[in-house]
Amino acid sequence: MRILLINPEYDGSWFQFHPLKKTFSVYASGVSPPLGLLYIATILENQGYEVNLIDNDALKWSDDESLRFIEENRPDVVGFSILTASCHKAHRLAKKIKKRYPGIKILYGGPSSTTYPERLMKKYDFVDYLIVGEGEYTTLNLIRELETEQNLKSVRGLVYRDDEIIVFNEAGSPIRDLDDLPFPNRSFLKTNYDLSLSWGDFKVRFTVGKYTGMLTSRGCSNSCRFCQTWSNHNGWRGRSAKNVVEELELLEGQGYKHVFFVDDNFSADKKRVFEICKLIKERGIKVYWSVEMSVENGSYEMFKAMKEAGCDSILFGFESANQRILDYYCKRITPELSRKTVEDARSAGISCVIGTFLLGAPDESYEEAKRTVDFGLSLDLDALILFSLSVKPNTPIWNEMKEKGYLTDDFIEKRWETSHINVYELHSKLSKKEIDNLIEDSYTKFLWRPKYLAKHFYRNLRYGFRRKWMAKNLRAIAPFLKASLKTRMMK
């Protein structure tokens, strides 16, 4: 049986540095390989199936190009990974495939399929099967049943049609031992990735050599009220340090120079972090790597070990400078701890420290939001990222908005596959304009502080990673700084 897996192209921008003037939208499209599909493709291939993978978020193929590929390869099943940002293009192509090749089975998986399985099956009659939850073994079991007796009732995590009836099978179980998964076979990929963001007509690359993403854990041990990861109730599951480092060693042998660990919380198991760092050093692996991690798990000793093992950058979710808002989010941190974490990472020699913040909690005042912005500007960060708080399905804030009558079924029906719903659309003391103004002002101030510029220049000279990064990006950074300076002078 032949299977084609497709990662559709995403729509829209990640965020805008100047949301009011609509300048320099940052597009995070096609910047990292689709690891979920890679795992599925690898498992299917290991079982003897013929598999192809199209990452259209990177390749940007037209529908006609994708259809030509299908004509040439004649798959029996075409599977799509569905996100809010990519669902419209997925639906459009899937509908064309089913019309031209009625015998091809259309399979949907991914976050949107897990969140809205019934809505998707009811609205799109060209979808034959839908996977809820982790897709590796549900996909494999479905393919096996399609190939033999088609006993679909036995496939846990599957949604399908039995004549006109939508059938929901028993939920699948999350994979508890991630070491059982094979390493993703990146030879399925038809392009190279560089973790780049497009600023206007230019592209800024955050890598310094051949790059890929890598997953060392799934889930999260925290319980932030805005986050879907822990709301899925699968808990945090980590690969063993030995298993992680073996894949990293394999990637180094394949010529990779930079790896981003895409875990939601790399440092949930502190002991494992130290073990990973120890093994990397023992094996002499020379690869730059970057992570996202929780503030409360870090320490100077951990950051030092990470730095010595090749970690070049860390992204932290600080979210707010107000303890009341942090408590509302169920963040187990304080502003003081956030500041200390940045200081510890700097003292340990981490070359790039990035912080994210959220504005617009339901009862957050303008003064509190402004305090968060000022707090972010006061930290020794290389990049400051500000988001307007959105409500995501099945999270505690989503449920709160529903219970209080701010988020109605009619509203959800209009928006469930279009975009994230911002809190300011439902119930907030802050308007969209106020939030956009704060974001716009903060980026301009952040970039043009003399102390920041001096430190940035010094670190670009001091750290090998940053020297290489700067050399690759001078052409792209210059016009952005020019536009930011112009905005600053207009105020």
Side-chain angles (χ1 to χ4, degrees), residues 42-191:
T42 303
I43 286 173
L44 291 174
E45 184 183 55
N46 289 351
Q47 294 300 313
Y49 296 106
E50 184 179 331
V51 187
N52 274 296
L53 191 154
I54 298 173
D55 181 9
N56 217 18
D57 194 42
L59 296 172
K60 313 297 184 197
W61 284 2
S62 66
D63 286 355
D64 286 343
E65 288 175 300
S66 297
L67 289 169
R68 278 198 297 272
F69 186 88
I70 290 170
E71 175 66 28
E72 293 168 0
N73 292 273
R74 292 295 178 133
D76 301 293
V77 177
V78 176
F80 290 84
S81 178
I82 305 297
L83 298 169
T84 301
S86 64
C87 65
H88 295 295
K89 292 180 180 178
H91 301 328
R92 187 183 67 203
L93 178 56
K95 185 176 181 179
K96 290 179 181 179
I97 293 171
K98 181 60 83 170
K99 183 177 180 180
R100 186 174 296 189
Y101 308 101
I104 290 179
K105 300 299 183 182
I106 301 296
L107 169 65
Y108 273 12
S112 292
S113 297
T114 297
T115 304
Y116 296 117
E118 187 170 9
R119 279 189 165 96
L120 285 167
M121 292 296 281
K122 283 183 176 180
K123 185 171 181 178
Y124 301 107
D125 59 3
F126 50 79
V127 179
D128 297 293
Y129 310 110
L130 189 148
I131 290 175
V132 175
E134 295 182 348
E136 287 89 352
Y137 293 114
T138 301
T139 303
L140 174 60
N141 292 334
L142 169 63
I143 298 301
R144 283 172 170 168
E145 293 303 328
L146 290 177
E147 198 175 38
T148 55
E149 301 177 1
Q150 296 201 37
N151 180 23
L152 298 180
K153 292 182 180 180
S154 67
V155 182
R156 298 177 62 186
L158 183 68
V159 181
Y160 64 98
R161 290 188 177 85
D162 186 355
D163 292 328
E164 298 300 318
I165 300 173
I166 299 174
V167 180
F168 292 79
N169 284 356
E170 181 183 354
S173 300
I175 301 167
R176 289 300 168 192
D177 189 352
L178 299 182
D179 284 9
D180 289 341
L181 291 170
F183 298 156
N185 181 359
R186 291 169 175 81
S187 68
F188 281 111
L189 303 171
K190 298 174 176 63
T191 187

Side-chain angles (χ1 to χ4, degrees), residues 378-394:
S378 74
L379 298 177
D380 189 7
L381 300 174
D382 294 286
L384 172 73
I385 303 175
L386 297 161
F387 295 104
S388 173
L389 177 65
S390 62
V391 289
K392 296 180 175 61
N394 304 320

Side-chain angles (χ1 to χ4, degrees), residues 147-313:
E147 198 175 38
T148 55
E149 301 177 1
Q150 296 201 37
N151 180 23
L152 298 180
K153 292 182 180 180
S154 67
V155 182
R156 298 177 62 186
L158 183 68
V159 181
Y160 64 98
R161 290 188 177 85
D162 186 355
D163 292 328
E164 298 300 318
I165 300 173
I166 299 174
V167 180
F168 292 79
N169 284 356
E170 181 183 354
S173 300
I175 301 167
R176 289 300 168 192
D177 189 352
L178 299 182
D179 284 9
D180 289 341
L181 291 170
F183 298 156
N185 181 359
R186 291 169 175 81
S187 68
F188 281 111
L189 303 171
K190 298 174 176 63
T191 187
N192 293 321
Y193 299 81
D194 56 15
L195 194 63
S196 61
L197 300 179
S198 297
W199 289 355
D201 295 328
F202 298 92
K203 183 180 284 189
V204 175
R205 294 171 174 83
F206 292 90
T207 57
V208 295
K210 189 177 179 181
Y211 159 80
T212 190
M214 180 174 156
L215 195 67
T216 82
S217 68
R218 293 184 180 182
C220 187
S221 56
N222 294 333
S223 54
C224 304
R225 300 183 75 241
F226 51 78
C227 182
Q228 275 184 304
T229 299
W230 77 273
S231 300
N232 292 326
H233 306 294
N234 289 334
W236 183 88
R237 295 153 289 149
R239 294 164 57 184
S240 68
K242 180 176 180 290
N243 186 258
V244 169
V245 175
E246 284 177 351
E247 183 178 357
L248 194 62
E249 191 170 39
L250 174 68
L251 293 176
E252 183 185 35
Q254 295 172 348
Y256 288 96
K257 304 297 184 183
H258 194 172
V259 174
F260 179 35
F261 295 150
V262 299
D263 310 30
D264 291 293
N265 189 356
F266 173 76
S267 58
D269 183 341
K270 299 177 185 178
K271 181 180 178 182
R272 190 188 76 128
V273 175
F274 284 103
E275 290 175 349
I276 289 172
C277 294
K278 179 174 178 287
L279 287 174
I280 290 174
K281 291 176 64 179
E282 286 179 354
R283 299 194 183 192
I285 298 172
K286 303 297 182 184
V287 174
Y288 291 116
W289 48 279
S290 311
V291 299
E292 296 181 32
M293 58 185 290
S294 296
V295 173
E296 67 270 22
N297 292 336
S299 65
Y300 171 80
E301 292 75 19
M302 179 182 289
F303 301 142
K304 190 69 174 175
M306 291 168 64
K307 171 65 178 178
E308 292 174 354
C311 179
D312 64 83
S313 58

Side-chain angles (χ1 to χ4, degrees), residues 385-437:
I385 303 175
L386 297 161
F387 295 104
S388 173
L389 177 65
S390 62
V391 289
K392 296 180 175 61
N394 304 320
T395 61
I397 293 181
W398 172 282
N399 295 333
E400 175 193 344
M401 294 293 104
K402 288 192 70 175
E403 290 167 4
K404 292 181 177 179
Y406 301 124
L407 180 60
T408 64
D409 290 338
D410 287 343
F411 193 94
I412 295 172
E413 188 60 36
K414 293 177 183 177
R415 294 284 298 278
W416 68 274
E417 58 177 347
T418 56
S419 63
H420 289 308
I421 300 170
N422 293 288
V423 170
Y424 62 68
E425 300 177 75
L426 306 174
H427 171 72
S428 176
K429 292 181 178 179
L430 292 169
S431 67
K432 180 181 186 302
K433 185 175 181 179
E434 287 175 317
I435 293 174
D436 284 350
N437 265 318

